[in-house]
Amino acid sequence: MDEHRIGLKPIRRQIWAPTGQPLTCPVHPRYEWLYIYAFVCPETGESRFWLMPTLNKDAYQRVMAAFARTVDASAEHHVLVVEDGGGFHVPAEQGHPLGIETIKLPAYSPELQPAERLWRLTDATVANRWFASLDDLWNALYEQCAWLETQADTLTQQTLFHWWPLYAN
């Protein structure tokens, strides 16, 4: 599980162009943001994405509860969530939803976080583009995240590290 801030400040990437043709990339930087919360199972590529307007402990708790419902976490079906040490990763007063267990990665170790590799894929659809509003950006990201949820093989290729422990179902 990881979070990613993305907004109306443009993401610029190199692109191919015909020789001698000038490239233009319209930009209108504004500092308004959305946050993508993503969960991925590196072994299967199964994923869940949520777009949220904020990144704080309340949003984290709502997303974690929604995730628990979508994966049918329960006393009989436990789900281990690997997360970084974000200060907002605070469970609700009653704790995480039933069936959700978390493990924290060491500080300053994004290279250990499989979900960190998802951001290049989510950003691909918005790179070198200009959006008139946060709603337009939200729509583009929603479509990309919905598509990524159907691309288990691609997500496994990006997130299944050679050292990741594999478990029999």
Side-chain angles (χ1 to χ4, degrees), residues 12-25 127-128:
R12 297 183 62 199
R13 291 193 178 162
Q14 290 182 340
I15 59 172
W16 289 96
T19 302
Q21 296 291 325
L23 293 177
T24 60
C25 179
N128 296 329

Side-chain angles (χ1 to χ4, degrees), residues 23 32 53 68 74 76 88 90 94 125 136 141 143-144 148:
L23 293 177
E32 298 177 59
S74 66
E76 295 79 34
F88 46 84
V90 178
Q94 67 273 20
T125 194
D136 294 340
L141 287 171
E143 289 177 16
Q144 180 70 359
L148 284 170

Side-chain angles (χ1 to χ4, degrees), residues 8-12 15 23-30 126-132:
L8 297 178
K9 184 177 179 191
I11 297 172
R12 297 183 62 199
I15 59 172
L23 293 177
T24 60
C25 179
V27 296
H28 181 114
R30 284 145 303 147
V126 299
N128 296 329
R129 290 181 60 193
W130 176 82
F131 294 94

Side-chain angles (χ1 to χ4, degrees), residues 1-151:
M1 183 263 182
D2 200 22
E3 308 84 10
H4 178 55
R5 181 178 77 170
I6 192 165
L8 297 178
K9 184 177 179 191
I11 297 172
R12 297 183 62 199
R13 291 193 178 162
Q14 290 182 340
I15 59 172
W16 289 96
T19 302
Q21 296 291 325
L23 293 177
T24 60
C25 179
V27 296
H28 181 114
R30 284 145 303 147
Y31 299 94
E32 298 177 59
W33 310 101
L34 290 173
Y35 298 87
I36 305 172
Y37 291 71
F39 296 79
V40 64
C41 176
E43 187 175 348
T44 65
E46 184 179 1
S47 62
R48 303 287 190 285
F49 292 85
W50 278 269
L51 293 174
M52 299 289 286
T54 58
L55 179 66
N56 58 33
K57 74 176 191 173
D58 294 330
Y60 168 81
Q61 292 167 0
R62 286 194 308 269
V63 167
M64 192 63 79
F67 172 71
R69 284 190 303 274
T70 65
V71 296
D72 297 324
S74 66
E76 295 79 34
H77 180 231
H78 289 260
V79 177
L80 180 64
V81 176
V82 177
E83 57 187 18
D84 59 23
F88 46 84
H89 289 171
V90 178
E93 284 185 28
Q94 67 273 20
H96 285 298
L98 188 61
I100 297 291
E101 298 176 31
T102 61
I103 185 170
K104 297 237 187 267
L105 291 170
Y108 307 106
S109 58
E111 68 279 1
L112 299 177
Q113 174 58 282
E116 195 73 43
R117 310 272 307 272
L118 299 173
W119 308 136
R120 175 177 290 210
L121 301 172
T122 58
D123 292 356
T125 194
V126 299
N128 296 329
R129 290 181 60 193
W130 176 82
F131 294 94
S133 70
L134 214 49
D135 288 339
D136 294 340
L137 175 65
W138 191 93
N139 290 330
L141 287 171
Y142 176 83
E143 289 177 16
Q144 180 70 359
C145 290
W147 177 78
L148 284 170
E149 285 183 356
T150 68
Q151 303 302 306

